Amino acid sequence: MSKILADKIADYVELGPKEYKAFCEIDRKYFVPAGFERKAYDITPLPLADDSTISSPLTIAKMTSYLELDSVDSVLEIGCGSGYQAAILSKIVRRVFTIDRICRLVVVAKERFKKLNLYNINVKCDDGRFGWRAYAPFDRILLSAYIEDMEKDLLEQVKDDGFILAPVKIGNEQVITRFYKNGKKEMLEACEFVPVKKGVVK
């Protein structure tokens, strides 16, 4: 079934061989909420706790592609959610770090990663706006929720030749944007994400 989903995604998003293989290997059914298993292979978002969502596989594929992961060693994700994006990344890069502010989501994600033998993913419950300094700098940082301003703490944690990929709210619209350390910004396409929120939910 994962190959069927990967083929659906490939109809809309250009996937490289590594990305396509990752979507074939990671079964989305393990990441959807209870009661939504029949929708696991649809290309639609699904609800999670505290107004969070598991993004559409198309969104996951676009963000993965925009990260340009060739020769990338480490990625930090802000907004673990169900863990699906981190799981996909774990099949492409050597080290994945992911943070979520909702601790019960982190607990469940850890269980999923263990069940699927994804041991190159490090996950913690924390306010992701401040990154994960203990493992910085990262080749890439990915935000899976939209921001209005880039946090200085995050920019300091990306390598000089890396970038941060984040949905940014500009007026009433959101745009997927690459942020570089030299101040350059590269706007890619319109999107729709939930907002980054402050604090931690135990």
Side-chain angles (χ1 to χ4, degrees), residues 25-142:
E25 291 181 349
I26 298 296
D27 196 329
R28 192 174 184 239
K29 74 179 181 183
Y30 294 114
F31 297 89
V32 301
F36 286 89
E37 289 84 0
R38 285 188 297 178
K39 293 184 177 292
Y41 307 107
D42 293 345
I43 50 175
T44 54
L46 294 170
L48 288 173
D50 195 43
D51 296 326
S52 296
T53 60
I54 173 173
S55 295
S56 159
L58 291 181
T59 300
I60 298 290
K62 286 180 180 180
M63 299 302 270
T64 302
S65 179
Y66 283 141
L67 283 170
E68 298 183 342
L69 296 173
D70 284 348
S71 302
V72 165
D73 178 77
S74 63
V75 177
L76 169 64
E77 178 195 25
I78 310 300
C80 177
S82 71
Y84 184 57
Q85 174 75 81
I88 294 293
L89 293 174
S90 77
K91 293 294 183 177
I92 304 169
V93 303
R94 189 171 70 89
R95 297 181 301 151
V96 178
F97 303 87
T98 182
I99 303 172
D100 206 285
R101 62 184 289 273
I102 304 170
C103 293
R104 62 185 179 277
L105 291 182
V106 168
V107 169
V108 175
K110 283 182 177 178
E111 292 171 353
R112 287 177 176 135
F113 298 150
K114 185 176 180 180
K115 182 177 181 179
L116 297 173
N117 297 316
L118 302 176
Y119 295 115
N120 62 332
I121 304 176
N122 299 275
V123 57
K124 72 170 180 174
C125 183
D126 205 348
D127 188 329
R129 294 174 304 136
F130 306 112
W132 199 337
R133 285 193 174 277
Y135 294 101
F138 303 97
D139 293 297
R140 302 283 188 269
I141 297 178
L142 167 68

